[in-house]
Amino acid sequence: MENKAKTQQEIEREMLEVNEQFAEFLHTKGIQAKYRLVIENIKKGAKAAPANTAAQIAKVQAETQAAVARANAMGKPAPAVTEVSAATLENEFNAFLKSKGLDGKYTVSVTEE
């Protein structure tokens, strides 16, 4: 037996032959058979839709839970903004300037109005 690779032209020719045979088959069955085939496919899709939707929802929920678990593993979320006094703000800003080496050049004074 000789194994040979089919060329693109041979594949296209075979596809055209199959298409012609299928078109002929459908033509002999008539238009009613075509409609019946389409309707049956729609019914099958409608029956499978709830299961497919449920599977997609379950997948998204699992991905969401995994993302939440990864986020929790990385650390806790930042605390909510709380009231900050003028003295605390002044101290933190001056500490920031000191960390940047600008404490000798600049100082901040915060007053509350």
Side-chain angles (χ1 to χ4, degrees):
M1 300 193 101
E2 184 179 311
N3 290 336
K4 69 172 189 173
K6 292 184 180 182
T7 64
Q8 184 67 24
Q9 290 175 340
E10 290 174 333
I11 294 171
E12 288 177 6
R13 185 169 22 92
E14 287 179 4
M15 287 178 60
L16 288 173
E17 288 175 11
V18 170
N19 282 341
E20 288 175 9
Q21 291 172 0
F22 186 67
E24 184 179 320
F25 168 77
L26 288 180
H27 182 69
T28 61
K29 292 291 183 179
I31 191 120
Q32 187 177 15
K34 293 177 189 177
Y35 288 131
R36 215 175 290 138
L37 179 65
V38 170
I39 290 172
E40 288 301 316
N41 286 336
I42 291 171
K43 286 180 183 178
K44 288 178 186 176
K47 285 180 184 176
N52 292 341
T53 302
Q56 289 172 348
I57 290 171
K59 179 182 174 188
V60 169
Q61 286 176 339
E63 290 172 354
T64 301
Q65 289 175 352
V68 168
R70 282 192 307 271
N72 287 337
M74 289 182 171
K76 295 182 178 178
V81 176
T82 58
E83 276 298 313
V84 178
S85 68
T88 304
L89 184 58
E90 183 177 328
N91 291 338
E92 287 183 12
F93 203 161
N94 283 324
F96 170 75
L97 290 174
K98 186 175 183 178
S99 71
K100 296 296 182 181
L102 299 172
D103 59 327
K105 195 171 186 181
Y106 301 103
T107 56
V108 175
S109 175
V110 178
T111 57
E112 193 170 331
E113 292 184 13

